[in-house]
Amino acid sequence: MRFLLPFLVIAGLAEAAELPPPVTDSDFMETTPEAVALGQLLFFDPILSGSKAVACSTCHHPKFGTSDGLSLGLGDGASGLGPERRALGENYPEKRIPRNAPALFNLGAKEFTRMFHAGRLEADPTKPGGIRTPLGQEMVEGFSGVLSAQAMFPVLSADEMAGHYSENEISQAVRLGMLTGEGGAWDLISKRVEAIPEYRALFDEVIGDAPIGFTDISDVIAEFIAFEWRADESPFDAHLRGIEPLSGLAREGMDLFYGKAGCADCHSGKFQTDHEFHALAMPQIGPGAVARFETHTRDIGRYRVTGNPADIYRFRTPSLRNVALTAPYGHAGAYATLEAVVRHHLDPVKALFSYDISQAILPDLEGASPKDTAIMADAREIAAIAEANELAPMELTDHEIAAILAFLESLTDPGSQDGRLGIPERVPSGLPVE
């Protein structure tokens, strides 16, 4: 959800596309009040992190459009929210989180079957449990769906929530490869939660008196996300439902989006995404999503999932619902403003070669600078990213760009920004809530 993949013309001018039908209740997964309320508490509770200092909300906060307001965030070893987040001297982060924190709006819609920028977790009916993941099929048993299963990744990531080697029992289990089973990271997290009487009582209302497993925790968090950040009450939704038509600059932008500009070629459907993967010559900054043993910073996107050379540098088309709230943009958060990323689409290769990293929003992190700029300082790497680009250049006037931006603003559902339940005043663990 965090950057605009080819919403202009990939080759030539597009014909006018039909507007999507209105969003309805049937588009979303079902939730229960008990599970949603419990999921809210767990989402904001740092108890799920190794050092009990990072919550899901740290990187997915309503104050920053369910993201963190940073190009590349800091997880374990830092404190504060958004641009104010700072590394802690006594537990210094090993590196930045390699990709931009995706927003959570409408992930409870049934059509969202692929998670993360490169789709490393996706629904697959041919796999046991109906989910494909790089962590192996035993990792997906018991999850209610992909929205629940995506919660497995942050809690097992040293840089996000688990913590650094041997600094706590969960990080040590992760480094030893003990993820599932007795004494594994999930088991340790679940036992922490079960040991808190208030959580045990709340889970009794959802799962009965059965022992709490990690999938029980992730399932209720998924229900909370689905309920809390459903976003389908925007001016554009009112237009689709015949309540109040768009007018002025936003109407011009809508006509461009679904016509001349070809935005709907990829940003199609009810949530403005085809759920596919495209290469757009997006600038690559930061450490890159690479394996721990790799020393380069090259983020090759979907290729790392499929092994198909055609997928090199391809990333998922994000939904544009509430896109005006979710800056920065791009898989690495390269662009700080919506206008900047829209202009990138006019000529991606030219924009790539002229990119200035000063526009990125990066918290201070000693020793990070070489990796922040390594790819963009390497002519061969930039050339490779440019070569993979799928989007042909096109011209739009400043007025037309302003109109498209006005339409993108019309996709904002003001009521979903803070969520339906909001931030709890306290959580059962007694740990601080930010």
Side-chain angles (χ1 to χ4, degrees):
M1 297 183 194
R2 299 303 311 274
F3 68 94
L4 311 177
L5 279 167
F7 79 96
L8 299 178
V9 187
I10 286 182
L13 294 179
E15 296 181 1
E18 292 185 4
L19 296 181
V23 176
T24 66
D25 289 347
S26 64
D27 291 315
F28 292 86
M29 61 183 282
E30 295 183 359
T31 63
T32 65
E34 296 80 9
V36 168
L38 177 51
Q40 178 209 24
L41 297 174
L42 288 163
F43 185 88
F44 287 94
D45 198 333
I47 193 68
L48 302 185
S49 65
S51 298
K52 303 180 183 179
V54 181
C56 303
S57 59
T58 302
C59 293
H60 299 283
H61 202 280
K63 183 177 180 180
F64 303 103
T66 70
S67 183
D68 62 1
L70 296 167
S71 297
L72 300 171
L74 296 176
D76 181 74
S79 65
L81 292 175
E84 302 302 317
R85 193 159 178 79
R86 295 291 180 266
L88 299 172
E90 64 272 19
N91 181 28
Y92 213 72
E94 294 182 3
K95 64 177 183 178
R96 302 189 194 283
I97 295 172
R99 286 180 180 157
N100 181 261
L104 305 180
F105 296 112
N106 290 322
L107 291 188
K110 297 172 186 175
E111 70 177 63
F112 286 86
T113 60
R114 289 167 158 173
M115 296 290 159
F116 306 110
H117 290 294
R120 57 183 164 148
L121 178 78
E122 56 190 327
D124 185 343
T126 70
K127 300 292 186 181
I131 299 173
R132 189 207 57 76
T133 170
L135 294 181
Q137 290 310 122
E138 74 278 3
M139 298 292 293
V140 295
E141 296 177 0
F143 291 103
S144 62
V146 291
L147 183 54
S148 172
Q150 63 84 31
M152 78 170 90
F153 289 91
V155 299
L156 299 179
S157 167
D159 300 309
E160 295 180 54
M161 296 181 71
H164 306 133
Y165 183 64
S166 295
E167 96 180 25
N168 62 71
E169 72 279 12
I170 292 172
S171 66
Q172 187 169 11
V174 170
R175 292 296 177 101
L176 292 175
M178 298 171 59
L179 307 180
T180 62
E182 187 175 354
W186 287 356
D187 181 51
L188 295 172
I189 293 170
S190 302
K191 286 178 176 176
R192 274 189 187 178
V193 172
E194 183 148 29
I196 299 171
E198 186 175 349
Y199 273 134
R200 180 63 264 184
L202 291 170
F203 267 107
D204 285 347
E205 298 179 18
V206 177
I207 64 171
D209 61 0
I212 299 170
F214 181 78
T215 55
D216 299 316
I217 294 170
S218 62
D219 283 354
V220 296
I221 290 176
E223 290 200 36
F224 167 68
I225 291 171
F227 174 85
E228 185 77 348
W229 289 300
R230 173 173 167 173
D232 65 329
E233 295 291 342
S234 69
F236 179 62
D237 290 296
H239 177 91
L240 294 178
R241 291 170 180 145
I243 298 171
E244 184 175 353
L246 288 179
S247 60
L249 201 58
R251 177 57 186 259
E252 289 183 48
M254 182 182 73
D255 292 341
L256 284 164
F257 187 98
Y258 288 99
K260 170 186 173 182
C263 311
D265 289 353
C266 295
H267 289 285
S268 56
K270 294 182 177 183
F271 300 100
Q272 285 81 39
T273 174
D274 61 3
H275 299 288
E276 295 298 334
F277 302 85
H278 303 279
L280 195 58
M282 273 288 174
Q284 169 60 47
I285 61 176
V290 300
R292 212 81 188 176
F293 61 85
E294 294 176 308
T295 57
H296 64 81
T297 60
R298 186 184 310 111
D299 194 334
I300 50 180
R302 182 69 172 167
Y303 175 77
R304 189 170 288 275
V305 176
T306 66
N308 183 350
D311 286 332
I312 293 177
Y313 302 119
R314 283 182 172 171
F315 295 90
R316 188 187 61 177
T317 306
S319 167
L320 301 185
R321 294 311 190 101
N322 282 353
V323 68
L325 305 177
T326 62
Y329 304 95
H331 68 278
Y335 291 107
T337 69
L338 192 53
E339 180 176 352
V341 77
V342 166
R343 289 187 177 275
H344 175 95
H345 289 69
L346 300 180
D347 192 337
V349 172
K350 181 180 179 181
L352 173 68
F353 278 97
S354 63
Y355 178 72
D356 180 359
I357 196 174
S358 67
Q359 63 192 290
I361 303 174
L362 296 168
D364 290 339
L365 184 66
E366 186 178 346
S369 295
K371 288 187 176 181
D372 288 343
T373 58
I375 296 297
M376 299 307 297
D378 189 324
R380 290 176 298 179
E381 295 288 354
I382 298 178
I385 295 172
E387 178 66 23
N389 173 58
E390 303 170 18
L391 187 57
M394 77 171 300
E395 292 186 7
L396 290 178
T397 67
D398 287 346
H399 178 81
E400 288 172 324
I401 292 172
I404 288 175
L405 290 170
F407 173 66
L408 295 177
E409 290 279 356
S410 81
L411 300 176
T412 301
D413 173 359
S416 67
Q417 183 170 7
D418 295 329
R420 290 167 171 77
L421 297 182
I423 303 171
E425 293 184 2
R426 56 170 295 277
V427 290
S429 69
L431 293 168
V433 177
E434 293 186 295

